[in-house]
Amino acid sequence: MNLNIRNAFEKPSRKKQAYEKPLKTGRNEQTEKSSTSDVHLDDMAFLPDDDNEARDEDDNLSPEVRAMMKQLERPSKVDAEPEPTCTKIYYASRTHSQLSQVLHELEKLQINLSGTSVLSLHPEASKSPPDSAKRPISLVDEDDEVTTPEVRAVSLGSRKQLCINENLKGKAGDLDEACRQRLSEKGDRRCQYLPPIEDEIRILDFRDQVLATPKDIEDLVVSGQNAQTCPYFGSRRAITQAQLVMLPYNLLLQSAARESLGIDLKDQVIIIDEAHNLISTLLSLSTIQLPLKTLTTSLHQLSIYLARFKDRLSTQNSLHLKRLVGLLDALLKYAEEWKGERNKVNPNPGPAKAKENVETMTSGELLRKLGRKVEGINLLEVEAYLKKSRIARKISGYCAKELEKAAGADPLKRAKLSRLSNTTPPLHAVESFIVALTASSDDGRVTFSMIDDQVEIKYQHLNPATYFREVVEVARSVVLAGGTMSPISDVTNQLFTWLSAEKLTTFSCGHIIPASNLQTLVVKKGPRGGDLQFKFDRRNDQALLAELGQIMLNFANVVPSGMVVFVPSYSFLHVLINAWESSGTLEKLRSKKRVFMEPQDASGVERVLREYAAEIQVPTVKAAPGSGRKAGALLFAVIGAKLSEGLNFTDDLARAVVIIGLPFANLASPELRERMQYVNRLEQSRGVKRLPGVKDAATELYENMCMNAVNQSIGRAIRHKDDWASLVLIDGRYSSPRIRSKLPKWIGESLIITETFGEVMKEMGRFYREKKSRL
Ligand code: SF4
């Protein structure tokens, strides 16, 4: 349908920000069809656009809507002149809370970008900015006397984060789709928070409020509530004039998200913070999971939809949809047969048989397995249809509406629907899967695996550069920044092999603390002289665990206040705690410091951290009068889990960070094996020859993944220039030059490799005594 009110603030282009396409009127040929069909007018919004075009032709438009259409067909001031714009910094980080921290830092800087080179007005726009753009926001050129008190910044988020329509947020189904539908409605049924076109001034006022002072997502919601205007569309409307656009990775890195937000990265500056996460984020954004249940539900939804609209769909749309059904049907049959085969061969699968329960193939191989009929389907055509028709969204929206009708007022059914609303609609997963299959065959793999007796189909993308290249190629400059980005070779080898060397600069600086504030020790031997190597097959070794218990008791005696101990996995943490509970070591540890453990369930993390921090504050005597127990606490955490990133264990919260073992990933994982083989293939295709004795690209990737995780955990301590702490690496393998070279430079230089445990205690004692004497 071409009545684009619902798209009003959705895809602003530089020229026509608010109302992109003029509305079309249609002919009256469809009247007959409408009158004979039993499809309700409400349902017709769910038809593909081509079919909706037919509907426009007999749309019973009200006089008001027709008047609006006429008005929109006349070029408005906004349409006539481009809104002034400037070069922007797109600042991306992993989470909104990280972006919020950056905004607060920005406030401290109190910089004024008006009149600086960063503000380069569009030459045409600067001659005569439109009225709507001249109001409170001071986009000024160098001679202008008006000053902008702050950087014009805008934070972008999803509807889930920014929608203020409580009626819609509480409902089942896809919020994006529900919002789009509300915007296509008229009168009271339209969302009251997005002003209609004749009231554009409201959204422009709100845009100006957004830009007036930097706001994080929470501030935007509050401002939107106060102004009774949608912060989701208001923030998008502010992009053109913003100097700084803060956004989470997914909105920057996915082309569909950029398109939908109207983000054009051409000649812009991009900063990616916490960039050690970049490769894993790029890979996970393009990895698609398709559980069998999702596939079955999608097929079911498609059949309902086809049955419902069979008389209304154009021949072309019917054909496409039937082709889609054929493809999904074949995929479902293959998955069911595959499951049957596995159950026959391997009726009692356990972890040891995990490998046998996985099959990996390229997209081409999958299509061949699905049979000749499917092999003949042009996936690019299917992809184009899915994108153009937005059929997945329409079918999901239609089915959600039907489910809601069927649920009526039944509280149980409504609760179920509400849970469903937080999951990705099944057809969206199917669409993403099909789109993924169209990528280059060598860049991805499809896996079939049995998880809890269910088949899961997954597309795993192997090349993180595929989608990042689109960003780098158009941008003016891209900065990857991070506190602990070592080992950097992964970033260069996996993301930038296509870029000429002179275009890539790496810069690493030392820590801001004086060298005397950091002590880094490698512990090779335990108090009883045993070798300390926590390889996977030794993690149940009781003698080793006992030695480790003794080490912790010794450390708890000398480390003041907080001590954070990172272990390689939750399973190892459980083994450790069970062993120490039986041996009485845990009890002894508790007599020295209160012991906390990272919960596996995310909901418990905040409580544990709060209690841990509170315990650190307790003065020595009050903590355990007469018991000899020192004030402070000991927190066991897991490398790569919830406490190893994004948290600051400042000052007394961590006077020691202890890392036990090396958290190498499970080599039996099919995903990991595929990635390792891929990087080897990639290096061979580039003709790189390694010197004899130098490990291959796959081994380097494997080690780098491990050390990247270790470095994140290490980075939790020493968070400001006066902070100090001891970093203790317990595992003999940390003394090898290869592993040491993968530690951050500021650590590597001061590393002490101890030969005996006595040496460890001597060094720690000296360090803490020296620190105490300065307090
Ligand atoms: S408040 Fe905004 S996001 Fe929510 S429904 Fe209304 S227009 Fe859509």
Side-chain angles (χ1 to χ4, degrees), residues 419-433:
R419 282 198 301 279
L420 276 179
S421 67
N422 290 323
T423 59
T424 311
L427 266 161
H428 289 223
V430 165
E431 176 173 351
S432 307
F433 183 75

PDB file of all heavy atoms in Angstrom, residues 419-433:
ATOM      1  N   ARG A 419       4.698 -13.971  26.885  1.00  0.00           N
ATOM      2  CA  ARG A 419       6.042 -14.579  26.828  1.00  0.00           C
ATOM      3  C   ARG A 419       6.505 -14.658  25.381  1.00  0.00           C
ATOM      4  O   ARG A 419       7.641 -14.376  25.058  1.00  0.00           O
ATOM      5  CB  ARG A 419       6.020 -15.983  27.457  1.00  0.00           C
ATOM      6  CG  ARG A 419       6.024 -15.961  28.986  1.00  0.00           C
ATOM      7  CD  ARG A 419       6.447 -17.306  29.533  1.00  0.00           C
ATOM      8  NE  ARG A 419       5.580 -18.391  29.116  1.00  0.00           N
ATOM      9  CZ  ARG A 419       4.405 -18.707  29.677  1.00  0.00           C
ATOM     10  NH1 ARG A 419       3.983 -17.995  30.701  1.00  0.00           N
ATOM     11  NH2 ARG A 419       3.690 -19.713  29.244  1.00  0.00           N
ATOM     12  N   LEU A 420       5.560 -15.019  24.506  1.00  0.00           N
ATOM     13  CA  LEU A 420       5.904 -15.145  23.084  1.00  0.00           C
ATOM     14  C   LEU A 420       6.361 -13.814  22.486  1.00  0.00           C
ATOM     15  O   LEU A 420       7.192 -13.776  21.592  1.00  0.00           O
ATOM     16  CB  LEU A 420       4.684 -15.623  22.290  1.00  0.00           C
ATOM     17  CG  LEU A 420       4.433 -17.120  22.257  1.00  0.00           C
ATOM     18  CD1 LEU A 420       3.170 -17.398  21.460  1.00  0.00           C
ATOM     19  CD2 LEU A 420       5.609 -17.838  21.606  1.00  0.00           C
ATOM     20  N   SER A 421       5.798 -12.717  23.039  1.00  0.00           N
ATOM     21  CA  SER A 421       6.115 -11.415  22.457  1.00  0.00           C
ATOM     22  C   SER A 421       7.585 -11.052  22.647  1.00  0.00           C
ATOM     23  O   SER A 421       8.107 -10.183  21.972  1.00  0.00           O
ATOM     24  CB  SER A 421       5.240 -10.332  23.072  1.00  0.00           C
ATOM     25  OG  SER A 421       5.573 -10.185  24.412  1.00  0.00           O
ATOM     26  N   ASN A 422       8.239 -11.736  23.584  1.00  0.00           N
ATOM     27  CA  ASN A 422       9.652 -11.427  23.802  1.00  0.00           C
ATOM     28  C   ASN A 422      10.572 -12.298  22.963  1.00  0.00           C
ATOM     29  O   ASN A 422      11.786 -12.260  23.113  1.00  0.00           O
ATOM     30  CB  ASN A 422      10.004 -11.598  25.291  1.00  0.00           C
ATOM     31  CG  ASN A 422       9.349 -10.515  26.102  1.00  0.00           C
ATOM     32  OD1 ASN A 422       9.258  -9.387  25.652  1.00  0.00           O
ATOM     33  ND2 ASN A 422       8.865 -10.872  27.278  1.00  0.00           N
ATOM     34  N   THR A 423       9.998 -13.149  22.139  1.00  0.00           N
ATOM     35  CA  THR A 423      10.854 -13.999  21.308  1.00  0.00           C
ATOM     36  C   THR A 423      10.774 -13.533  19.851  1.00  0.00           C
ATOM     37  O   THR A 423       9.821 -12.861  19.456  1.00  0.00           O
ATOM     38  CB  THR A 423      10.407 -15.470  21.386  1.00  0.00           C
ATOM     39  OG1 THR A 423       9.045 -15.525  20.946  1.00  0.00           O
ATOM     40  CG2 THR A 423      10.501 -16.022  22.789  1.00  0.00           C
ATOM     41  N   THR A 424      11.786 -13.908  19.076  1.00  0.00           N
ATOM     42  CA  THR A 424      11.783 -13.510  17.666  1.00  0.00           C
ATOM     43  C   THR A 424      10.665 -14.247  16.944  1.00  0.00           C
ATOM     44  O   THR A 424      10.555 -15.467  17.076  1.00  0.00           O
ATOM     45  CB  THR A 424      13.127 -13.922  17.008  1.00  0.00           C
ATOM     46  OG1 THR A 424      14.160 -13.472  17.849  1.00  0.00           O
ATOM     47  CG2 THR A 424      13.272 -13.346  15.621  1.00  0.00           C
ATOM     48  N   PRO A 425       9.827 -13.561  16.184  1.00  0.00           N
ATOM     49  CA  PRO A 425       8.776 -14.270  15.447  1.00  0.00           C
ATOM     50  C   PRO A 425       9.409 -15.336  14.547  1.00  0.00           C
ATOM     51  O   PRO A 425      10.443 -15.079  13.910  1.00  0.00           O
ATOM     52  CB  PRO A 425       8.113 -13.165  14.631  1.00  0.00           C
ATOM     53  CG  PRO A 425       8.453 -11.909  15.352  1.00  0.00           C
ATOM     54  CD  PRO A 425       9.780 -12.123  15.976  1.00  0.00           C
ATOM     55  N   PRO A 426       8.803 -16.536  14.494  1.00  0.00           N
ATOM     56  CA  PRO A 426       9.444 -17.657  13.794  1.00  0.00           C
ATOM     57  C   PRO A 426       9.830 -17.366  12.351  1.00  0.00           C
ATOM     58  O   PRO A 426      10.907 -17.731  11.911  1.00  0.00           O
ATOM     59  CB  PRO A 426       8.401 -18.776  13.871  1.00  0.00           C
ATOM     60  CG  PRO A 426       7.256 -18.259  14.621  1.00  0.00           C
ATOM     61  CD  PRO A 426       7.551 -16.902  15.127  1.00  0.00           C
ATOM     62  N   LEU A 427       8.937 -16.674  11.631  1.00  0.00           N
ATOM     63  CA  LEU A 427       9.267 -16.434  10.217  1.00  0.00           C
ATOM     64  C   LEU A 427      10.437 -15.467  10.031  1.00  0.00           C
ATOM     65  O   LEU A 427      11.107 -15.481   9.005  1.00  0.00           O
ATOM     66  CB  LEU A 427       8.039 -15.925   9.473  1.00  0.00           C
ATOM     67  CG  LEU A 427       7.265 -17.053   8.794  1.00  0.00           C
ATOM     68  CD1 LEU A 427       5.869 -16.611   8.474  1.00  0.00           C
ATOM     69  CD2 LEU A 427       7.966 -17.535   7.528  1.00  0.00           C
ATOM     70  N   HIS A 428      10.693 -14.646  11.030  1.00  0.00           N
ATOM     71  CA  HIS A 428      11.845 -13.754  10.938  1.00  0.00           C
ATOM     72  C   HIS A 428      13.129 -14.577  10.995  1.00  0.00           C
ATOM     73  O   HIS A 428      14.089 -14.295  10.279  1.00  0.00           O
ATOM     74  CB  HIS A 428      11.848 -12.737  12.079  1.00  0.00           C
ATOM     75  CG  HIS A 428      10.767 -11.714  11.937  1.00  0.00           C
ATOM     76  ND1 HIS A 428      10.967 -10.380  12.175  1.00  0.00           N
ATOM     77  CD2 HIS A 428       9.478 -11.838  11.567  1.00  0.00           C
ATOM     78  CE1 HIS A 428       9.838  -9.720  11.959  1.00  0.00           C
ATOM     79  NE2 HIS A 428       8.924 -10.594  11.597  1.00  0.00           N
ATOM     80  N   ALA A 429      13.128 -15.619  11.849  1.00  0.00           N
ATOM     81  CA  ALA A 429      14.302 -16.488  11.927  1.00  0.00           C
ATOM     82  C   ALA A 429      14.491 -17.219  10.602  1.00  0.00           C
ATOM     83  O   ALA A 429      15.609 -17.363  10.111  1.00  0.00           O
ATOM     84  CB  ALA A 429      14.140 -17.477  13.081  1.00  0.00           C
ATOM     85  N   VAL A 430      13.377 -17.657  10.012  1.00  0.00           N
ATOM     86  CA  VAL A 430      13.448 -18.359   8.727  1.00  0.00           C
ATOM     87  C   VAL A 430      14.005 -17.414   7.653  1.00  0.00           C
ATOM     88  O   VAL A 430      14.884 -17.771   6.864  1.00  0.00           O
ATOM     89  CB  VAL A 430      12.051 -18.877   8.317  1.00  0.00           C
ATOM     90  CG1 VAL A 430      12.017 -19.260   6.858  1.00  0.00           C
ATOM     91  CG2 VAL A 430      11.665 -20.058   9.182  1.00  0.00           C
ATOM     92  N   GLU A 431      13.515 -16.186   7.651  1.00  0.00           N
ATOM     93  CA  GLU A 431      13.991 -15.220   6.653  1.00  0.00           C
ATOM     94  C   GLU A 431      15.495 -14.989   6.826  1.00  0.00           C
ATOM     95  O   GLU A 431      16.252 -15.030   5.849  1.00  0.00           O
ATOM     96  CB  GLU A 431      13.236 -13.891   6.803  1.00  0.00           C
ATOM     97  CG  GLU A 431      13.779 -12.856   5.853  1.00  0.00           C
ATOM     98  CD  GLU A 431      12.981 -11.552   5.809  1.00  0.00           C
ATOM     99  OE1 GLU A 431      11.897 -11.489   6.399  1.00  0.00           O
ATOM    100  OE2 GLU A 431      13.461 -10.607   5.169  1.00  0.00           O
ATOM    101  N   SER A 432      15.929 -14.784   8.063  1.00  0.00           N
ATOM    102  CA  SER A 432      17.362 -14.552   8.294  1.00  0.00           C
ATOM    103  C   SER A 432      18.170 -15.754   7.841  1.00  0.00           C
ATOM    104  O   SER A 432      19.255 -15.614   7.283  1.00  0.00           O
ATOM    105  CB  SER A 432      17.642 -14.318   9.778  1.00  0.00           C
ATOM    106  OG  SER A 432      16.830 -13.319  10.259  1.00  0.00           O
ATOM    107  N   PHE A 433      17.629 -16.945   8.071  1.00  0.00           N
ATOM    108  CA  PHE A 433      18.343 -18.166   7.682  1.00  0.00           C
ATOM    109  C   PHE A 433      18.496 -18.224   6.156  1.00  0.00           C
ATOM    110  O   PHE A 433      19.576 -18.491   5.636  1.00  0.00           O
ATOM    111  CB  PHE A 433      17.580 -19.389   8.210  1.00  0.00           C
ATOM    112  CG  PHE A 433      18.268 -20.695   7.939  1.00  0.00           C
ATOM    113  CD1 PHE A 433      19.375 -21.074   8.679  1.00  0.00           C
ATOM    114  CD2 PHE A 433      17.823 -21.537   6.939  1.00  0.00           C
ATOM    115  CE1 PHE A 433      20.027 -22.271   8.432  1.00  0.00           C
ATOM    116  CE2 PHE A 433      18.457 -22.734   6.678  1.00  0.00           C
ATOM    117  CZ  PHE A 433      19.560 -23.109   7.433  1.00  0.00           C
TER     118      PHE A 433
END
